[in-house]
Amino acid sequence: MTSQPQIVGNSPIRKEGIAKVLGRARYVDDITLPGMWFGATVRSSIPRGRITSIAFDPSIPWHEYTIVSAADIPGENCIVHLTKDHPCLAVTHVNHCEEPILLLAHPNRSALPAAVAAVHITYEELPAIYSIEDSEKKEQIIWGEGESANTFKTYLMQKDQKPIPDEIWQTADYIVEGEYRTGAQEQLYIENNGVIAEYDAVKGVTVQGSMQCPYYLVHALELVFNLPAEKCRVIQTETGGAFGGKEDFPSVIGSHAALLAMKSGHPVKLCYDRAEDMAATTKRHPSRTRHRTAVSKDGKLLAGEIDFAIDGGAYATLSPVVLSRGTIHAPGPYHWPHLTVRAKAMTTNIPPHGAFRGFGAPQSIFALERHMDKIAKVVGLTPEEFRRRNFLATGGHTATGQLLKDPVDMQHLLTRALEESNYHAKREQFDRDNPTSTIKRGIGFATFFHGAGFTGSGERRLNSLVEIELTPEGQPRLLVSSTEFGQGTNTILCQIAAQTLHLPYDQILIAQPDTGHVPNSGPTVASRTAMVVGKLVQRAAQSLLATLAPLLSSRSAAEGPAVASELPHDYTPEDFRHAALHYLAEHGSLKTEARYQSPGDIFWDDETYSGEAYPAYAWAVYVAEVAVDTTTYSASVTNFYALQEVGKVLHPILAAGQIEGGVAQGIGYALYEKCTWNNGHLANNQMTNYIMPTSADVPPIHVTFEEIPSPHGAFGAKGIGELPMDGPAPAILNAIEHATGIAFTEIPLLPEDIFERMTRTPEAGSESLDTAVAGPIFSEATA
Amino acid sequence: MTQIHFTVNGESKALEAPPMKRLLDVLREDLHLTGAKEGCGEGECGSCSVLMNGDLVNSCLVPILQAEGAQITTIEGVAITEQLHPIQQCFLENGGAQCGICTPGMILATHHLLKKYKDPSLLQIQEGLSGNLCRCTGYIRIFNAVQAAALAGVAE
């Protein structure tokens, strides 16, 4: 008898960790192919206009270069994401700064910058728009027509598919309004976007590089090259951070490099430097959220109207699905008797915004959690008490009408988080100390949820497939397109397989994601890998075990009677290897698979925007402590508590690392990271002037988990990747309001913003919540 | 072109390079030591960190001319033959490496820090690593790794 050590729930070392600490992990820019050339991109210098001429400066020996224009594209001149609006290379018009127009390749990397600068393009400039407000005016139509002019997507989400009855507004004790804004945010993975492409007239296109979703790139290449999927091979190399920034963008850079490879007849490496990556690739969508909320005297939410708008940039990319997640998360973990969310993704002449951890949810949750503090103040309750009176609970229904069958206990989470952070005592202490100190301290929190997996019917459409094969040595190897980019995909999937197969963790192998060899297990996004792909790995492993059972159970049978319906479990790794080799000797190979099966009780209606939006949710309470220096006007986070219920934690060290990393990005989102646009061009496209948190900027981050196993994921796991991006910004601004008495409504909140607001004279504005002076911000309706 | 003689990971090297070629490019292109990464090219991110005569430098900011006669240690020179250096082991065990792109620089920065302070305070660790950006970890697991390495008596 062998007793299986617990692998899931422990923290074995990261699967590819040794290569990483030795500096031997091979990222795309570390790879050189024989005869390889280098690529570069000639980009638009204006935000919007018609291309009138392209001239090549005679100072450059152009015969040494390969030059690709849209005319060289064998298929459609289009990067396909959800719609076909995004040109691979601009032809007649450009719609944003840095839009690609031409591609160059040369054997010598250093010969490229001068050549890019020597392509002279003239334009007839057209008026450009840079904000949601300008886009809404529709004075300039830069995308679509009619209803969809300047509008990539709209959603109307109504509780019970009914409008809010007028009498709710007429009879509510309070109506509280607010407007909240969030800025663009750069993913700032430390490894820039990069790929190497090869072309062969018979075999087709091969692209290897830094990416999250190899099959997205296959899909893009099929269209650009007019080739069948089997002639578009994509391989993920070690990826130095992604955070969503390598979800949709590799379709662009991958197609570009492949075009250069085809025309030059050489493998072509196209790796951006930091300035190009920051200026030209996607960022988090800026947002504007308007809340109008009816509340009763006793602090019950009666109805809410939420207008949620995001700036999608010049092309649609993933804006419709970012908007979708933002819309569904906009109501938060609260019970709304009546609710209407109107959401829209608008077009501007900014480089297209795309995926970034959280995917629309951090924007709408920021607005809601600031607004909840505001309502509490108006009603005269503490932020804690007001939330407690409105939390969703087990058996309740979300705004999309989803019944919360799995246990949810926000009351308990809030109690625990406030206790662990010593919230009440600190609040009192700061209130005592602040009047006599130039450093104003505050403590605030946010309560929120995050859905795991693709939104709505997404998982059903993805139809993901996972395979496990036996190597000739009898070792199981996982075949998935799910990618590792730091979050721990390799490790947790191998843990799940090891636990299921009763084998040591280090005996499980995982294949490099290569679409020539691995099936499509879906994109590595949406906090779906642990839950959805993990479950498929578990099922494929069970299937492998069932196939080998006769060879394993003969041994078990010798040791005692086995229950026929049970998979074997009393065997040693050596027994497994013998059984595997025996099977291979007899049958040649063994590969088992598992395909996604939609749980029978999950239904989603895209038309009415109702139903089971996500199979499972993670629930969280984050508490931030801040210090605002009234001499320098800088705010810093001095302590942070992150408590979450995420189902089974598969790997405690990786999970805590995910939360801490997300919190640090959230601190940057709230207090440091500002994209400064100058006529549609990112003016601060350098690490020197785009400021992300350093090791000296992060506070102690106390991470705690509650684990309620979910029926949807392997061993009860839910998703955690995006969750920690949602809570920090509103918790920090709630704490800053406690510290300063000022209700800031916009992020990033930089020292100059705090200075501007704190030095404003009373005549110019007031945060007084006396209804007589509060003006249009909120009004007290008569009961 | 200039003749450069210097020592990299204990081996003496002689090569010809344009005098202003970045040490980072010489390491990666001429010597095929790709452990040092280019993250920003302007000395902000620290992912190209190497030790030069015992000092922690951003190799993207060092013209090769300046490395004449220098002793350079890259991540490839940190492990003791095939055995992980204790700092590497501590990063591995404590979750100090996630995507891994900043890890070579972080480990060299830690090496430098622990030479300076045998038992660094959290503040000294935070300041000592503040030239090395990490976007994945939020730094907390890296602090844990450095503290574990200090405890293991890495500084000798």
Side-chain angles (χ1 to χ4, degrees), chain A residues 13-14 16-18 20-27 29-30 109 185-192 238-241 243 273-274 356 484-486 653 656-658 660-662 664-665 673 686-688 690 692-696 698-701, chain B residues 28-29 34-42 44-45 47 75-76 79 81-85 88-89 91-95 97-104 107 122 125-141 143-144:
Chain A
I13 62 162
R14 171 178 285 281
E16 72 295 347
I18 290 176
K20 283 177 172 173
V21 298
L22 284 168
R24 290 181 193 164
R26 306 259 286 162
Y27 300 82
D29 204 18
D30 303 336
R109 197 176 207 163
Q185 186 185 21
E186 165 59 36
Q187 292 89 356
L188 216 70
Y189 30 68
I190 306 294
E191 180 206 28
N192 294 311
E238 200 69 69
T239 295
F243 315 113
D273 67 10
R274 180 61 56 186
F356 190 168
E484 170 68 54
F485 39 90
I653 287 183
Q658 280 292 289
E660 289 152 0
Q665 287 178 356
E673 300 180 31
Q686 294 170 273
M687 283 182 165
T688 307
Y690 181 94
M692 65 162 268
T694 72
S695 55
V698 292
I701 302 171
Chain B
R28 290 179 57 85
E29 294 168 8
T34 55
K37 312 296 181 190
E38 175 169 344
C40 68
E42 55 177 355
E44 284 290 329
C45 76
S47 53
I75 187 67
E76 289 88 348
T81 60
E82 278 308 290
Q83 213 187 328
L84 294 186
H85 187 280
Q88 290 168 319
Q89 189 65 36
F91 268 71
L92 193 58
E93 287 171 4
N94 287 277
Q98 286 194 19
C99 83
I101 195 85
C102 76
T103 307
I107 286 174
L122 180 60
I125 296 172
Q126 288 186 280
E127 284 179 0
L129 301 182
S130 63
N132 293 73
L133 297 179
C134 171
R135 190 59 155 169
C136 292
T137 62
Y139 305 101
I140 307 294
R141 308 273 131 193
F143 302 156
N144 295 349

Side-chain angles (χ1 to χ4, degrees), chain A residues 291-325:
Chain A
H291 273 271
R292 182 164 184 253
T293 313
V295 199
S296 70
K297 263 195 294 235
D298 58 352
K300 292 289 246 184
L301 292 169
L302 303 174
E305 266 183 357
I306 305 173
D307 286 315
F308 179 53
I310 62 173
D311 170 356
Y315 298 110
T317 67
L318 299 172
S319 290
V321 279
V322 170
L323 186 70
S324 165
R325 191 173 274 271

Side-chain angles (χ1 to χ4, degrees), chain A residues 44 101 106 203 290 330 360 373 408 439 536 547 554 576 661 700 731:
Chain A
S44 167
I101 299 170
H106 191 275
K203 286 193 239 159
R290 290 176 176 149
D373 267 28
V408 179
I439 309 281
L536 295 179
T547 309
S554 58
F576 182 92

